[in-house]
């Protein structure tokens, strides 16, 4: 998907000796590539790379605002502003920016536009609930895609929500004879807590069978 959208892949190489300082170094490189070089990047970050709460705090800040407080300070910030000024001045149609606040806003805007984060987590993990509470941007600033085996009830409920406003025009439905198809239809009716099986339930059952 990244390749189809013209994005380059970026991943950190975390190990048992990988420190938060090294993570900051990798993030600085990443930010410069998307914010100064205007490169479009897909940053794939797995929860196994979050070796401490500091890693999640940085990812939460990145997703929430496109910035990580304190990432560029002192000489590093001076060098960043100088690089931003040179890069932005070479871009056609861009107004020359002088103040650091203007440069910082432009730099952050480019990060938000060019950087796409793919954060993978295992919901069965023991700390999933805790991370959900302490790092809300991982969910409210992301599009959540659930991968893996869905329960029959979940498939039925989702299929129902997507089709419940469709006007089928029929209240009654004559289902197939006693076989696997009719079994699925009966289970759907149980999940939806309905005694009469109509075409609406048949549509839901068809979607469940397809998945």
């Amino acid at each position: 998907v990244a390749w189809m959208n013209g994005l380059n892949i970026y991943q950190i190489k975390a190990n048992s000796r990988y420190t938060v300082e090294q993570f900051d170094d990798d993030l600085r490189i990443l930010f410069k590539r998307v914010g100064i070089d205007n490169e479009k990047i897909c940053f794939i970050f797995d929860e196994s790379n979050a070796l401490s709460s500091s890693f999640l705090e940085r990812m939460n800040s990145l997703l929430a605002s496109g910035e990580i407080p304190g990432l560029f300070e002192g000489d590093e910030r001076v060098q960043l502003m100088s690089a931003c000024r040179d890069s932005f001045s070479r871009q056609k149609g861009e107004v020359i920016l002088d103040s650091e606040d203007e440069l910082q806003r432009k730099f952050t805007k480019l990060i938000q536009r060019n950087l796409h984060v793919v954060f993978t987590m295992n919901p069965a993990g023991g700390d999933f609930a805790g991370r959900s509470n302490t790092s809300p941007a991982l969910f409210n600033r992301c599009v959540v895609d659930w991968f893996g085996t869905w329960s029959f009830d979940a498939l039925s409920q989702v299929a129902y929500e997507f089709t419940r406003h469709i006007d089928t025009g029929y209240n009654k439905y004559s289902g197939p004879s006693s076989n696997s198809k009719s079994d699925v239809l009966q289970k759907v009716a149980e999940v939806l807590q309905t005694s009469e099986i109509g075409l609406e339930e048949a549509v839901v059952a068809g979607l469940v069978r397809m998945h």
Side-chain angles (χ1 to χ4, degrees):
V1 174
W3 176 81
M4 292 174 62
N5 287 278
L7 305 177
N8 294 320
I9 299 296
Y10 186 87
Q11 290 178 281
I12 62 172
K13 298 179 180 179
N15 53 55
S16 58
R17 297 182 179 180
Y18 189 76
T19 65
V20 69
E21 288 77 17
Q22 290 174 305
F23 185 44
D24 286 344
D25 289 339
D26 286 335
L27 288 173
R28 291 187 193 100
I29 294 172
L30 174 63
F31 279 23
K32 290 176 182 177
R33 287 174 61 180
V34 295
I36 296 177
D37 299 334
N38 205 25
E39 183 179 351
K40 299 182 184 300
I41 291 179
C42 176
F43 179 27
I44 301 176
F45 188 87
D46 185 73
E47 64 174 338
S48 62
N49 298 142
L51 304 180
S52 70
S53 60
S54 298
F55 287 74
L56 282 180
E57 290 172 4
R58 283 158 172 73
M59 293 301 298
N60 187 68
S61 297
L62 170 59
L63 291 168
S65 63
E67 297 179 287
I68 299 178
L71 188 62
F72 293 94
E73 291 186 333
D75 292 340
E76 289 175 344
R77 179 169 177 80
V78 173
Q79 294 172 6
L80 174 68
M81 293 296 101
S82 177
C84 286
R85 188 176 290 107
D86 292 340
S87 175
F88 301 159
S89 64
R90 291 194 299 268
Q91 296 177 11
K92 294 182 179 180
E94 288 291 335
V95 177
I96 297 177
L97 305 176
D98 290 325
S99 71
E100 286 194 0
D101 288 342
E102 290 176 325
L103 291 170
Q104 181 65 51
R105 284 195 294 270
K106 175 69 174 179
F107 180 66
T108 302
K109 185 178 180 180
L110 287 172
I111 291 173
Q112 294 172 330
R113 186 180 71 186
N114 293 332
L115 181 61
H116 299 265
V117 178
V118 176
F119 194 103
T120 56
M121 298 180 69
N122 179 13
D127 197 32
F128 182 77
R131 290 178 174 178
S132 304
N133 294 329
T134 58
S135 304
L138 299 181
F139 298 89
N140 59 32
R141 299 289 293 178
C142 294
V143 176
V144 180
D145 286 331
W146 296 91
F147 292 92
T149 303
W150 286 42
S151 68
F152 188 92
D153 287 12
L155 285 173
S156 301
Q157 291 289 352
V158 171
Y160 172 73
E161 288 298 324
F162 274 102
T163 60
R164 64 192 181 96
H165 295 298
I166 297 177
D167 184 8
T168 60
Y170 297 92
N171 292 326
K172 294 184 179 180
Y173 172 74
S174 299
S177 57
S178 179
N179 53 31
S180 60
K181 294 182 180 179
S182 63
D183 291 342
V184 172
L185 196 56
Q186 290 294 336
K187 290 180 180 179
V188 166
E190 293 174 5
V191 172
L192 301 181
Q193 297 180 351
T194 179
S195 57
E196 295 186 3
I197 298 177
L199 189 56
E200 184 175 8
E201 287 74 26
V203 172
V204 173
L207 291 174
V208 170
R209 281 185 57 83
M210 283 193 296
H211 290 81

